PDB file of all heavy atoms in Angstrom:
ATOM      1  N   VAL A 140      44.377  51.803   7.341  1.00 29.00           N
ATOM      2  CA  VAL A 140      43.427  52.023   8.413  1.00 29.00           C
ATOM      3  C   VAL A 140      42.300  52.811   7.968  1.00 29.00           C
ATOM      4  O   VAL A 140      41.115  52.592   8.211  1.00 29.00           O
ATOM      5  CB  VAL A 140      44.180  52.688   9.631  1.00 29.00           C
ATOM      6  CG1 VAL A 140      43.066  53.128  10.674  1.00 29.00           C
ATOM      7  CG2 VAL A 140      45.124  51.664  10.249  1.00 29.00           C
ATOM      8  N   GLY A 141      42.596  53.857   7.111  1.00 34.00           N
ATOM      9  CA  GLY A 141      41.536  54.657   6.599  1.00 34.00           C
ATOM     10  C   GLY A 141      40.573  53.871   5.717  1.00 34.00           C
ATOM     11  O   GLY A 141      39.384  54.019   5.678  1.00 34.00           O
ATOM     12  N   GLN A 142      41.193  53.012   4.920  1.00 37.00           N
ATOM     13  CA  GLN A 142      40.399  52.132   4.035  1.00 37.00           C
ATOM     14  C   GLN A 142      39.542  51.179   4.873  1.00 37.00           C
ATOM     15  O   GLN A 142      38.388  50.903   4.456  1.00 37.00           O
ATOM     16  CB  GLN A 142      41.297  51.314   3.059  1.00 37.00           C
ATOM     17  CG  GLN A 142      41.970  52.164   2.096  1.00 37.00           C
ATOM     18  CD  GLN A 142      42.857  51.328   1.164  1.00 37.00           C
ATOM     19  OE1 GLN A 142      43.078  50.111   1.462  1.00 37.00           O
ATOM     20  NE2 GLN A 142      43.436  51.944   0.094  1.00 37.00           N
ATOM     21  N   LEU A 143      40.035  50.680   5.941  1.00 29.00           N
ATOM     22  CA  LEU A 143      39.255  49.735   6.818  1.00 29.00           C
ATOM     23  C   LEU A 143      38.104  50.387   7.471  1.00 29.00           C
ATOM     24  O   LEU A 143      37.128  49.822   7.876  1.00 29.00           O
ATOM     25  CB  LEU A 143      40.174  49.027   7.798  1.00 29.00           C
ATOM     26  CG  LEU A 143      41.277  48.165   7.245  1.00 29.00           C
ATOM     27  CD1 LEU A 143      42.212  47.628   8.303  1.00 29.00           C
ATOM     28  CD2 LEU A 143      40.674  46.977   6.542  1.00 29.00           C
ATOM     29  N   LEU A 144      38.238  51.784   7.707  1.00 28.00           N
ATOM     30  CA  LEU A 144      37.190  52.464   8.386  1.00 28.00           C
ATOM     31  C   LEU A 144      36.142  52.976   7.488  1.00 28.00           C
ATOM     32  O   LEU A 144      35.124  53.526   7.965  1.00 28.00           O
ATOM     33  CB  LEU A 144      37.818  53.621   9.147  1.00 28.00           C
ATOM     34  CG  LEU A 144      38.714  53.290  10.344  1.00 28.00           C
ATOM     35  CD1 LEU A 144      39.325  54.500  10.960  1.00 28.00           C
ATOM     36  CD2 LEU A 144      37.965  52.480  11.366  1.00 28.00           C
ATOM     37  N   ARG A 145      36.258  52.805   6.154  1.00 38.00           N
ATOM     38  CA  ARG A 145      35.332  53.323   5.194  1.00 38.00           C
ATOM     39  C   ARG A 145      34.089  52.397   5.151  1.00 38.00           C
ATOM     40  O   ARG A 145      34.148  51.293   5.768  1.00 38.00           O
ATOM     41  CB  ARG A 145      35.949  53.333   3.802  1.00 38.00           C
ATOM     42  CG  ARG A 145      37.000  54.383   3.733  1.00 38.00           C
ATOM     43  CD  ARG A 145      37.852  54.226   2.442  1.00 38.00           C
ATOM     44  NE  ARG A 145      37.090  54.443   1.225  1.00 38.00           N
ATOM     45  CZ  ARG A 145      37.497  54.225   0.078  1.00 38.00           C
ATOM     46  NH1 ARG A 145      38.727  53.739  -0.119  1.00 38.00           N
ATOM     47  NH2 ARG A 145      36.764  54.444  -1.001  1.00 38.00           N
ATOM     48  N   SER A 146      33.059  52.890   4.521  1.00 38.00           N
ATOM     49  CA  SER A 146      31.765  52.077   4.576  1.00 38.00           C
ATOM     50  C   SER A 146      31.909  50.805   3.777  1.00 38.00           C
ATOM     51  O   SER A 146      32.840  50.682   2.980  1.00 38.00           O
ATOM     52  CB  SER A 146      30.653  52.941   3.963  1.00 38.00           C
ATOM     53  OG  SER A 146      30.901  53.184   2.586  1.00 38.00           O
ATOM     54  N   ASP A 147      31.057  49.878   4.084  1.00 41.00           N
ATOM     55  CA  ASP A 147      31.063  48.530   3.380  1.00 41.00           C
ATOM     56  C   ASP A 147      30.845  48.723   1.889  1.00 41.00           C
ATOM     57  O   ASP A 147      31.535  48.090   1.112  1.00 41.00           O
ATOM     58  CB  ASP A 147      29.976  47.620   3.958  1.00 41.00           C
ATOM     59  CG  ASP A 147      30.246  47.278   5.395  1.00 41.00           C
ATOM     60  OD1 ASP A 147      31.393  47.542   5.811  1.00 41.00           O
ATOM     61  OD2 ASP A 147      29.360  46.825   6.031  1.00 41.00           O
ATOM     62  N   THR A 148      29.952  49.642   1.475  1.00 40.00           N
ATOM     63  CA  THR A 148      29.747  49.781   0.058  1.00 40.00           C
ATOM     64  C   THR A 148      30.910  50.354  -0.672  1.00 40.00           C
ATOM     65  O   THR A 148      31.215  49.908  -1.761  1.00 40.00           O
ATOM     66  CB  THR A 148      28.526  50.755  -0.132  1.00 40.00           C
ATOM     67  OG1 THR A 148      27.381  50.264   0.554  1.00 40.00           O
ATOM     68  CG2 THR A 148      28.160  50.914  -1.576  1.00 40.00           C
ATOM     69  N   GLU A 149      31.580  51.311  -0.080  1.00 44.00           N
ATOM     70  CA  GLU A 149      32.791  51.894  -0.736  1.00 44.00           C
ATOM     71  C   GLU A 149      33.890  50.821  -0.841  1.00 44.00           C
ATOM     72  O   GLU A 149      34.590  50.734  -1.819  1.00 44.00           O
ATOM     73  CB  GLU A 149      33.287  53.040   0.061  1.00 44.00           C
ATOM     74  CG  GLU A 149      32.350  54.251   0.025  1.00 44.00           C
ATOM     75  CD  GLU A 149      32.813  55.357   0.976  1.00 44.00           C
ATOM     76  OE1 GLU A 149      33.611  55.090   1.819  1.00 44.00           O
ATOM     77  OE2 GLU A 149      32.349  56.488   0.793  1.00 44.00           O
ATOM     78  N   GLN A 150      33.942  49.979   0.150  1.00 40.00           N
ATOM     79  CA  GLN A 150      35.032  48.887   0.163  1.00 40.00           C
ATOM     80  C   GLN A 150      34.684  47.950  -1.016  1.00 40.00           C
ATOM     81  O   GLN A 150      35.627  47.487  -1.709  1.00 40.00           O
ATOM     82  CB  GLN A 150      35.171  48.206   1.406  1.00 40.00           C
ATOM     83  CG  GLN A 150      35.727  49.069   2.542  1.00 40.00           C
ATOM     84  CD  GLN A 150      35.876  48.241   3.819  1.00 40.00           C
ATOM     85  OE1 GLN A 150      36.296  47.089   3.815  1.00 40.00           O
ATOM     86  NE2 GLN A 150      35.557  48.843   4.945  1.00 40.00           N
ATOM     87  N   ASP A 151      33.479  47.567  -1.091  1.00 45.00           N
ATOM     88  CA  ASP A 151      33.070  46.594  -2.129  1.00 45.00           C
ATOM     89  C   ASP A 151      33.341  47.216  -3.522  1.00 45.00           C
ATOM     90  O   ASP A 151      33.780  46.520  -4.477  1.00 45.00           O
ATOM     91  CB  ASP A 151      31.600  46.267  -1.970  1.00 45.00           C
ATOM     92  CG  ASP A 151      31.372  45.210  -0.938  1.00 45.00           C
ATOM     93  OD1 ASP A 151      32.381  44.593  -0.530  1.00 45.00           O
ATOM     94  OD2 ASP A 151      30.178  44.945  -0.525  1.00 45.00           O
ATOM     95  N   ASN A 152      32.932  48.475  -3.709  1.00 47.00           N
ATOM     96  CA  ASN A 152      33.180  49.142  -5.029  1.00 47.00           C
ATOM     97  C   ASN A 152      34.666  49.124  -5.329  1.00 47.00           C
ATOM     98  O   ASN A 152      35.014  48.950  -6.557  1.00 47.00           O
ATOM     99  CB  ASN A 152      32.565  50.540  -5.018  1.00 47.00           C
ATOM    100  CG  ASN A 152      31.073  50.489  -4.890  1.00 47.00           C
ATOM    101  OD1 ASN A 152      30.465  49.515  -5.293  1.00 47.00           O
ATOM    102  ND2 ASN A 152      30.481  51.604  -4.393  1.00 47.00           N
ATOM    103  N   ASP A 153      35.472  49.445  -4.367  1.00 44.00           N
ATOM    104  CA  ASP A 153      36.900  49.486  -4.632  1.00 44.00           C
ATOM    105  C   ASP A 153      37.425  48.163  -4.950  1.00 44.00           C
ATOM    106  O   ASP A 153      38.260  47.992  -5.901  1.00 44.00           O
ATOM    107  CB  ASP A 153      37.646  50.087  -3.417  1.00 44.00           C
ATOM    108  CG  ASP A 153      37.421  51.562  -3.237  1.00 44.00           C
ATOM    109  OD1 ASP A 153      36.818  52.158  -4.118  1.00 44.00           O
ATOM    110  OD2 ASP A 153      37.830  52.171  -2.244  1.00 44.00           O
TER     111      ASP A 153
END
Side-chain angles (χ1 to χ4, degrees):
V140 170
Q142 291 178 353
L143 295 175
L144 293 176
R145 294 165 65 186
S146 65
D147 293 344
T148 304
E149 291 175 343
Q150 293 183 40
D151 279 349
N152 292 337
D153 287 353

